[in-house]
Amino acid sequence: MVISGKELAARLKAEMAEQVATFPEKYGRVPHLVVILVGTDPGSQTYVRNKEKACDVVGFKHTTYRLPEETPEQEVLDRIAALNADDSVDGILVQLPLPKHISETKVIEAIAKEKDVDGFHPLNTAALWQKRPNNTCVVPCTPMGIIKLLEEGNVEIAGKKAVVLGRSQIVGLPISKLLLDRNATVTICHSRTKDLAEVTRQADILVAAIGKAKFVTGDMVKEGAAVIDVGMDLDENGKLCGDVDFASVEPKASVITPVPGGVGPMTICCLMSNTIQCFLNRF
Ligand code: NAP
């Protein structure tokens, strides 16, 4: 079964739109998401446009600051400080990557934890890794989207062997923790993993997040595995594709996500739900 992230995201956004429509009466306003985009990276511009469209669909107020490439780091930090202090702003997102002269770490740390809709602030990361009752941390969007896709595909997680390819702060590590929290036995692989195919062939759930076009081939996948493809890569013809070679893996997988139309739309959908969470936490 191919799980369509596009369809699931559309359904969840429609549900959120209904919820948001009740907010003016209950809270006097709708959530307000502010996006800061520095520079002209074409990928980033597309992502930001898609985020703006999603805000329109769910009924948020949204503001985008498009700043020139040469904007000094301090100016970005000052803008974040002003938005942190602005009561009418519920969520702040700085589109990554940033130009080289701006420290991503400083920028991420400057955003108030309560308005960190990407869930990248060290306090949100720490909260994700510390299991506490009533943990209200903001979970990064892509990993949360993966969990929703697995749920949509009725994939059982508890007791299953999950293999995550990639150990980045934004995908590999947080999805590993979310799977662990749901009682999977998790193996995290990276560029120094030996006999990778041996490891991936044991996976009941395989999450590929390495950024290498069509890297995971059919011979690396167990019959009946659930395969989630996070990659956003370009194939030999410059066309968008994933980390998974769909043609050889799809016949073996019990469920699989496509690229495009899989994890990508769910990332934006979870950004919308994180913004609602940050908004509601303020009342
Ligand atoms: P990243 O920060 O570049 O991390 C890549 C990870 O893959 C690293 O941990 C690296 O290992 C590992 N790796 C690289 N080559 C490998 C190999 N040959 N075998 C095993 N592991 C290998 O990437 P990321 O930010 O997590 O993104 C991964 C992919 O997901 C990219 O294509 C990105 O565009 C995509 N992405 C999509 C979304 C979405 O919404 N759809 C969101 C975020 C990212 P080391 O740690 O040893 O270097």
Side-chain angles (χ1 to χ4, degrees), residues 142 166-168 170-171 190-192 196 209-212 215 230-233 243 263-264 267:
T142 302
R167 54 176 164 181
S168 70
I170 61 166
V171 189
H190 45 78
S191 63
R192 307 286 289 274
L196 189 73
I210 57 174
K212 296 223 163 9
F215 181 89
V230 185
M232 299 248 272
D233 314 311
D243 288 348
V263 174
T267 296

